[in-house]
Amino acid sequence: EVQLVESGGGLVQPGGSLRLSCAASGFTFSSYEMNWVRQAPGKGLEWVSYISSSGSTIYYADSVKGRFTISRDNAKNSVYLQMNSLRAEDTAVYYCASLSKGIWGQGTMVTVSS
Amino acid sequence: QSVLTQPPSVSAAPGQKVTISCSGSSSNIGNNYVSWYQQLPGTAPKLLIYDNNKRPSGIPDRFSGSKSGTSATLGITGLQTGDEADYYCGTWDSSLSAVWVFGGGTKLTVL
């Protein structure tokens, strides 16, 4: 079964850090780009970051540039999102997704609050 | 304010047809493929249309996509109550740096 499973979400204080993980199964992970997309409560989808299949090309949304870092480990079929200097406005459900293959995880909730 | 503009809501009766528009610019829709996503309440988005008008395996042909210039359209025929969801368009934007952009989303109500 084709699947993406996110983990690592939770409650963190403003200024804190969190690392999200996304484990892939059921497809050739190393052949596909991966993205992180977030959705604040009651709001629309916001793309956060992209990493190419090899990891050599990376893009970020302006809203997270300099604070978030995307990476992947093709040997572990996993993609990660290191989130630093977190703000209240980063509160959202975070999805990992291969936009080209149309595969989305179920999401993990990140809440930034004191 | 989303880079891609969608109507906030549309509605139609069961069995009818509805279209959802997505308006952009030459830096996004005008020069890139458009995808459409369906998000049922409380679930992750699901790919409905890719490359402007292609349907992934398992998506019924009631769903269709088209693109003209800097706008794209999602069409849904034979509306069912189960189609009530939020719909998003998305594409790459290369205006300053490469970013993926989504529309603001359209809430479909099947009356």
Side-chain angles (χ1 to χ4, degrees):
Chain A
E1 179 190 7
V2 172
Q3 200 171 11
L4 292 171
V5 178
E6 302 94 337
S7 60
L11 175 64
V12 61
Q13 292 189 337
S17 298
L18 214 52
R19 188 193 195 213
L20 305 183
S21 299
C22 172
S25 59
F27 66 102
T28 308
F29 177 76
S30 59
S31 296
Y32 292 92
E33 101 303 348
M34 292 299 297
N35 299 263
W36 286 95
V37 176
R38 68 185 181 183
Q39 186 170 35
K43 301 297 185 182
L45 301 174
E46 180 189 13
W47 172 82
V48 172
S49 184
Y50 160 100
I51 187 167
S52 62
S53 58
S54 66
S56 60
T57 301
I58 287 173
Y59 303 123
Y60 297 100
D62 286 345
S63 57
V64 307
K65 203 172 292 183
R67 300 187 299 123
F68 290 11
T69 302
I70 191 172
S71 62
R72 67 188 295 160
D73 185 338
N74 285 342
K76 294 184 178 180
N77 287 345
S78 293
V79 62
Y80 308 98
L81 187 68
Q82 177 66 43
M83 304 186 295
N84 298 330
S85 303
L86 283 161
R87 307 165 180 167
E89 53 266 35
D90 295 318
T91 295
V93 174
Y94 284 74
Y95 298 100
C96 67
S98 170
L99 294 177
S100 67
K101 194 164 173 64
I103 308 171
W104 292 65
Q106 85 290 348
T108 186
M109 183 70 203
V110 171
T111 303
V112 184
S113 175
S114 54
Chain B
Q1 202 91 359
S2 300
V3 172
L4 304 180
T5 300
Q6 297 180 233
S9 63
V10 296
S11 61
Q16 297 300 303
K17 173 182 177 178
V18 71
T19 60
I20 297 173
S21 61
C22 176
S23 177
S25 68
S26 58
S27 67
N28 42 67
I29 291 177
N31 283 285
N32 293 286
Y33 288 116
V34 176
S35 298
W36 287 91
Y37 304 88
Q38 177 194 59
Q39 188 175 33
L40 297 169
T43 69
K46 172 183 171 183
L47 180 65
L48 282 182
I49 298 289
Y50 68 98
D51 290 357
N52 302 332
N53 55 18
K54 296 182 174 61
R55 284 176 286 105
S57 172
I59 301 299
D61 59 7
R62 299 189 300 107
F63 295 91
S64 63
S66 64
K67 187 182 105 168
S68 178
T70 59
S71 292
T73 302
L74 173 70
I76 311 173
T77 59
L79 276 172
Q80 303 172 359
T81 55
D83 295 333
E84 276 209 352
D86 293 321
Y87 292 84
Y88 296 90
C89 57
T91 186
W92 283 105
D93 187 299
S94 50
S95 53
L96 290 173
S97 60
V99 294
W100 180 273
V101 290
F102 288 102
T106 299
K107 170 66 178 176
L108 168 62
T109 301
V110 181
L111 302 167

